[in-house]
Amino acid sequence: MARGKDARVSVILECTGCVRKGVSVNKKSRGMSRYITQKNRHNTPGRLELRKFCPYCYKHRIHGEIKK
């Protein structure tokens, strides 16, 4: 049986607030918030953006899909 492209793929979401501020600029920030989730390639062909909690910003921020 031939394997085609799977519809469901794993993606990494990264906090856009931490990326804009820069880790070195903000002395309180000790890292970058990242989440791993799955998306359906057929239903969501573009980049995925979800509002999730960032433990470094202590706020709910938009987390966008990044390249692996």
Side-chain angles (χ1 to χ4, degrees):
M1 196 167 175
R3 287 189 174 210
K5 288 190 174 182
D6 293 332
R8 192 154 291 279
V9 293
S10 295
V11 294
I12 301 172
L13 303 176
E14 188 174 79
C15 179
T16 56
C18 293
V19 173
R20 288 195 185 118
K21 282 192 277 184
V23 177
S24 62
V25 174
N26 189 359
K27 302 296 183 199
K28 294 179 186 175
S29 181
R30 292 185 297 272
M32 193 77 56
S33 173
R34 289 189 174 178
Y35 286 94
I36 298 174
T37 187
Q38 292 182 345
K39 76 170 189 176
N40 190 324
R41 209 182 300 194
H42 299 298
N43 294 341
T44 315
R47 295 217 176 234
L48 185 65
E49 286 189 344
L50 295 175
R51 190 172 160 90
K52 300 189 78 61
F53 181 76
C54 177
Y56 301 106
C57 300
Y58 299 105
K59 294 180 181 178
H60 280 85
R61 298 274 183 145
I62 295 176
H63 285 65
E65 181 179 341
I66 63 169
K67 292 183 180 179
K68 288 185 180 179

mmCIF file of all heavy atoms in Angstrom, residues 8-36:
data_model
loop_
_atom_site.group_PDB
_atom_site.id
_atom_site.type_symbol
_atom_site.label_atom_id
_atom_site.label_comp_id
_atom_site.label_asym_id
_atom_site.label_seq_id
_atom_site.Cartn_x
_atom_site.Cartn_y
_atom_site.Cartn_z
ATOM 1 N N ARG A 8 -2.836 14.923 8.819
ATOM 2 C CA ARG A 8 -2.555 15.490 10.150
ATOM 3 C C ARG A 8 -1.044 15.524 10.384
ATOM 4 O O ARG A 8 -0.369 14.516 10.285
ATOM 5 C CB ARG A 8 -3.230 14.633 11.217
ATOM 6 C CG ARG A 8 -3.238 15.280 12.565
ATOM 7 C CD ARG A 8 -4.376 14.794 13.410
ATOM 8 N NE ARG A 8 -5.677 15.228 12.968
ATOM 9 C CZ ARG A 8 -6.212 16.421 13.214
ATOM 10 N NH1 ARG A 8 -5.530 17.307 13.876
ATOM 11 N NH2 ARG A 8 -7.408 16.720 12.802
ATOM 12 N N VAL A 9 -0.540 16.729 10.671
ATOM 13 C CA VAL A 9 0.901 16.908 10.892
ATOM 14 C C VAL A 9 1.135 17.595 12.235
ATOM 15 O O VAL A 9 0.286 18.335 12.725
ATOM 16 C CB VAL A 9 1.551 17.737 9.767
ATOM 17 C CG1 VAL A 9 1.528 16.989 8.460
ATOM 18 C CG2 VAL A 9 0.877 19.074 9.626
ATOM 19 N N SER A 10 2.310 17.369 12.827
ATOM 20 C CA SER A 10 2.692 18.026 14.071
ATOM 21 C C SER A 10 3.295 19.385 13.749
ATOM 22 O O SER A 10 4.088 19.513 12.812
ATOM 23 C CB SER A 10 3.717 17.201 14.834
ATOM 24 O OG SER A 10 3.141 15.986 15.233
ATOM 25 N N VAL A 11 2.924 20.400 14.541
ATOM 26 C CA VAL A 11 3.456 21.747 14.358
ATOM 27 C C VAL A 11 3.910 22.298 15.705
ATOM 28 O O VAL A 11 3.446 21.868 16.757
ATOM 29 C CB VAL A 11 2.415 22.698 13.726
ATOM 30 C CG1 VAL A 11 2.079 22.278 12.321
ATOM 31 C CG2 VAL A 11 1.168 22.791 14.559
ATOM 32 N N ILE A 12 4.827 23.262 15.664
ATOM 33 C CA ILE A 12 5.319 23.921 16.868
ATOM 34 C C ILE A 12 4.788 25.343 16.874
ATOM 35 O O ILE A 12 4.909 26.066 15.881
ATOM 36 C CB ILE A 12 6.859 23.928 16.903
ATOM 37 C CG1 ILE A 12 7.389 22.503 16.870
ATOM 38 C CG2 ILE A 12 7.359 24.672 18.127
ATOM 39 C CD1 ILE A 12 8.891 22.418 16.708
ATOM 40 N N LEU A 13 4.176 25.737 17.993
ATOM 41 C CA LEU A 13 3.652 27.096 18.156
ATOM 42 C C LEU A 13 4.579 27.854 19.105
ATOM 43 O O LEU A 13 4.951 27.342 20.156
ATOM 44 C CB LEU A 13 2.241 27.062 18.738
ATOM 45 C CG LEU A 13 1.199 26.272 17.958
ATOM 46 C CD1 LEU A 13 -0.110 26.260 18.720
ATOM 47 C CD2 LEU A 13 0.996 26.861 16.591
ATOM 48 N N GLU A 14 4.941 29.085 18.722
ATOM 49 C CA GLU A 14 5.851 29.905 19.522
ATOM 50 C C GLU A 14 5.186 31.232 19.847
ATOM 51 O O GLU A 14 4.491 31.814 19.012
ATOM 52 C CB GLU A 14 7.141 30.142 18.739
ATOM 53 C CG GLU A 14 8.216 30.818 19.533
ATOM 54 C CD GLU A 14 9.503 30.896 18.746
ATOM 55 O OE1 GLU A 14 9.598 31.788 17.885
ATOM 56 O OE2 GLU A 14 10.390 30.065 18.986
ATOM 57 N N CYS A 15 5.423 31.739 21.054
ATOM 58 C CA CYS A 15 4.819 32.990 21.516
ATOM 59 C C CYS A 15 5.311 34.150 20.659
ATOM 60 O O CYS A 15 6.512 34.348 20.499
ATOM 61 C CB CYS A 15 5.158 33.229 22.981
ATOM 62 S SG CYS A 15 4.464 34.761 23.629
ATOM 63 N N THR A 16 4.388 34.943 20.113
ATOM 64 C CA THR A 16 4.769 36.092 19.299
ATOM 65 C C THR A 16 5.173 37.271 20.166
ATOM 66 O O THR A 16 5.933 38.123 19.736
ATOM 67 C CB THR A 16 3.611 36.509 18.373
ATOM 68 O OG1 THR A 16 2.453 36.768 19.164
ATOM 69 C CG2 THR A 16 3.301 35.428 17.370
ATOM 70 N N GLY A 17 4.696 37.341 21.403
ATOM 71 C CA GLY A 17 5.064 38.415 22.310
ATOM 72 C C GLY A 17 6.512 38.334 22.727
ATOM 73 O O GLY A 17 7.222 39.344 22.784
ATOM 74 N N CYS A 18 7.001 37.144 23.029
ATOM 75 C CA CYS A 18 8.398 36.955 23.425
ATOM 76 C C CYS A 18 9.332 37.218 22.248
ATOM 77 O O CYS A 18 10.417 37.754 22.417
ATOM 78 C CB CYS A 18 8.626 35.536 23.938
ATOM 79 S SG CYS A 18 7.790 35.168 25.478
ATOM 80 N N VAL A 19 8.918 36.845 21.057
ATOM 81 C CA VAL A 19 9.752 37.021 19.869
ATOM 82 C C VAL A 19 9.909 38.505 19.565
ATOM 83 O O VAL A 19 10.985 38.974 19.250
ATOM 84 C CB VAL A 19 9.132 36.288 18.652
ATOM 85 C CG1 VAL A 19 9.883 36.600 17.393
ATOM 86 C CG2 VAL A 19 9.117 34.800 18.906
ATOM 87 N N ARG A 20 8.839 39.276 19.682
ATOM 88 C CA ARG A 20 8.905 40.707 19.383
ATOM 89 C C ARG A 20 9.738 41.457 20.402
ATOM 90 O O ARG A 20 10.493 42.349 20.072
ATOM 91 C CB ARG A 20 7.493 41.288 19.331
ATOM 92 C CG ARG A 20 6.746 40.841 18.111
ATOM 93 C CD ARG A 20 5.518 41.693 17.875
ATOM 94 N NE ARG A 20 4.768 41.149 16.767
ATOM 95 C CZ ARG A 20 3.539 40.679 16.838
ATOM 96 N NH1 ARG A 20 2.897 40.700 17.988
ATOM 97 N NH2 ARG A 20 2.929 40.206 15.782
ATOM 98 N N LYS A 21 9.575 41.117 21.690
ATOM 99 C CA LYS A 21 10.323 41.806 22.741
ATOM 100 C C LYS A 21 11.791 41.434 22.715
ATOM 101 O O LYS A 21 12.649 42.251 23.009
ATOM 102 C CB LYS A 21 9.748 41.465 24.123
ATOM 103 C CG LYS A 21 8.484 42.214 24.450
ATOM 104 C CD LYS A 21 8.148 42.055 25.892
ATOM 105 C CE LYS A 21 7.426 40.776 26.148
ATOM 106 N NZ LYS A 21 6.991 40.599 27.510
ATOM 107 N N GLY A 22 12.088 40.211 22.387
ATOM 108 C CA GLY A 22 13.472 39.731 22.410
ATOM 109 C C GLY A 22 13.821 39.258 23.808
ATOM 110 O O GLY A 22 13.530 39.922 24.786
ATOM 111 N N VAL A 23 14.452 38.115 23.895
ATOM 112 C CA VAL A 23 14.769 37.523 25.191
ATOM 113 C C VAL A 23 15.842 38.340 25.903
ATOM 114 O O VAL A 23 15.788 38.550 27.101
ATOM 115 C CB VAL A 23 15.226 36.054 25.004
ATOM 116 C CG1 VAL A 23 15.632 35.459 26.335
ATOM 117 C CG2 VAL A 23 14.112 35.240 24.387
ATOM 118 N N SER A 24 16.834 38.867 25.170
ATOM 119 C CA SER A 24 17.921 39.600 25.811
ATOM 120 C C SER A 24 17.475 40.979 26.308
ATOM 121 O O SER A 24 18.039 41.497 27.258
ATOM 122 C CB SER A 24 19.087 39.755 24.837
ATOM 123 O OG SER A 24 18.677 40.501 23.709
ATOM 124 N N VAL A 25 16.460 41.572 25.676
ATOM 125 C CA VAL A 25 15.985 42.892 26.079
ATOM 126 C C VAL A 25 15.241 42.815 27.400
ATOM 127 O O VAL A 25 15.443 43.621 28.295
ATOM 128 C CB VAL A 25 15.065 43.488 24.981
ATOM 129 C CG1 VAL A 25 14.461 44.790 25.452
ATOM 130 C CG2 VAL A 25 15.847 43.683 23.699
ATOM 131 N N ASN A 26 14.383 41.810 27.549
ATOM 132 C CA ASN A 26 13.580 41.662 28.760
ATOM 133 C C ASN A 26 14.366 40.835 29.780
ATOM 134 O O ASN A 26 14.586 39.649 29.590
ATOM 135 C CB ASN A 26 12.241 40.986 28.426
ATOM 136 C CG ASN A 26 11.292 40.996 29.589
ATOM 137 O OD1 ASN A 26 11.607 41.488 30.662
ATOM 138 N ND2 ASN A 26 10.118 40.439 29.384
ATOM 139 N N LYS A 27 14.784 41.445 30.864
ATOM 140 C CA LYS A 27 15.604 40.748 31.868
ATOM 141 C C LYS A 27 14.801 39.706 32.635
ATOM 142 O O LYS A 27 15.345 38.735 33.110
ATOM 143 C CB LYS A 27 16.185 41.759 32.870
ATOM 144 C CG LYS A 27 17.035 42.829 32.224
ATOM 145 C CD LYS A 27 18.259 42.257 31.564
ATOM 146 C CE LYS A 27 19.106 43.365 31.006
ATOM 147 N NZ LYS A 27 20.036 42.979 30.017
ATOM 148 N N LYS A 28 13.469 39.884 32.753
ATOM 149 C CA LYS A 28 12.638 38.931 33.481
ATOM 150 C C LYS A 28 12.457 37.631 32.697
ATOM 151 O O LYS A 28 12.306 36.582 33.278
ATOM 152 C CB LYS A 28 11.261 39.537 33.767
ATOM 153 C CG LYS A 28 11.297 40.718 34.705
ATOM 154 C CD LYS A 28 9.911 41.256 34.889
ATOM 155 C CE LYS A 28 9.922 42.535 35.703
ATOM 156 N NZ LYS A 28 8.594 43.130 35.793
ATOM 157 N N SER A 29 12.445 37.729 31.375
ATOM 158 C CA SER A 29 12.192 36.569 30.537
ATOM 159 C C SER A 29 13.394 35.627 30.551
ATOM 160 O O SER A 29 14.527 36.047 30.366
ATOM 161 C CB SER A 29 11.894 37.008 29.102
ATOM 162 O OG SER A 29 11.634 35.883 28.316
ATOM 163 N N ARG A 30 13.130 34.338 30.793
ATOM 164 C CA ARG A 30 14.202 33.353 30.844
ATOM 165 C C ARG A 30 14.125 32.371 29.679
ATOM 166 O O ARG A 30 14.893 31.434 29.636
ATOM 167 C CB ARG A 30 14.141 32.598 32.161
ATOM 168 C CG ARG A 30 14.476 33.456 33.351
ATOM 169 C CD ARG A 30 14.506 32.619 34.604
ATOM 170 N NE ARG A 30 13.215 32.028 34.913
ATOM 171 C CZ ARG A 30 12.266 32.625 35.642
ATOM 172 N NH1 ARG A 30 12.460 33.813 36.124
ATOM 173 N NH2 ARG A 30 11.136 32.016 35.886
ATOM 174 N N GLY A 31 13.202 32.567 28.769
ATOM 175 C CA GLY A 31 13.098 31.612 27.682
ATOM 176 C C GLY A 31 12.028 31.988 26.693
ATOM 177 O O GLY A 31 11.551 33.112 26.658
ATOM 178 N N MET A 32 11.629 31.005 25.890
ATOM 179 C CA MET A 32 10.658 31.198 24.834
ATOM 180 C C MET A 32 9.559 30.152 25.024
ATOM 181 O O MET A 32 9.855 28.980 25.172
ATOM 182 C CB MET A 32 11.346 30.983 23.490
ATOM 183 C CG MET A 32 10.561 31.444 22.325
ATOM 184 S SD MET A 32 10.575 33.217 22.082
ATOM 185 C CE MET A 32 12.298 33.571 21.963
ATOM 186 N N SER A 33 8.306 30.597 25.023
ATOM 187 C CA SER A 33 7.191 29.686 25.217
ATOM 188 C C SER A 33 6.879 28.965 23.908
ATOM 189 O O SER A 33 6.657 29.609 22.879
ATOM 190 C CB SER A 33 5.964 30.476 25.676
ATOM 191 O OG SER A 33 4.832 29.641 25.714
ATOM 192 N N ARG A 34 6.870 27.634 23.947
ATOM 193 C CA ARG A 34 6.549 26.831 22.765
ATOM 194 C C ARG A 34 5.585 25.720 23.142
ATOM 195 O O ARG A 34 5.680 25.143 24.215
ATOM 196 C CB ARG A 34 7.804 26.214 22.169
ATOM 197 C CG ARG A 34 8.693 27.219 21.496
ATOM 198 C CD ARG A 34 9.798 26.552 20.754
ATOM 199 N NE ARG A 34 10.551 27.532 20.001
ATOM 200 C CZ ARG A 34 11.610 27.245 19.270
ATOM 201 N NH1 ARG A 34 12.044 26.011 19.212
ATOM 202 N NH2 ARG A 34 12.231 28.190 18.607
ATOM 203 N N TYR A 35 4.650 25.444 22.232
ATOM 204 C CA TYR A 35 3.696 24.353 22.378
ATOM 205 C C TYR A 35 3.792 23.469 21.145
ATOM 206 O O TYR A 35 4.045 23.957 20.045
ATOM 207 C CB TYR A 35 2.262 24.882 22.474
ATOM 208 C CG TYR A 35 1.909 25.519 23.793
ATOM 209 C CD1 TYR A 35 2.020 26.898 23.988
ATOM 210 C CD2 TYR A 35 1.436 24.755 24.844
ATOM 211 C CE1 TYR A 35 1.680 27.484 25.196
ATOM 212 C CE2 TYR A 35 1.092 25.327 26.058
ATOM 213 C CZ TYR A 35 1.221 26.699 26.216
ATOM 214 O OH TYR A 35 0.890 27.267 27.411
ATOM 215 N N ILE A 36 3.576 22.177 21.315
ATOM 216 C CA ILE A 36 3.521 21.233 20.195
ATOM 217 C C ILE A 36 2.089 20.753 20.079
ATOM 218 O O ILE A 36 1.481 20.334 21.062
ATOM 219 C CB ILE A 36 4.466 20.043 20.421
ATOM 220 C CG1 ILE A 36 5.909 20.530 20.511
ATOM 221 C CG2 ILE A 36 4.315 19.033 19.291
ATOM 222 C CD1 ILE A 36 6.889 19.441 20.881
#
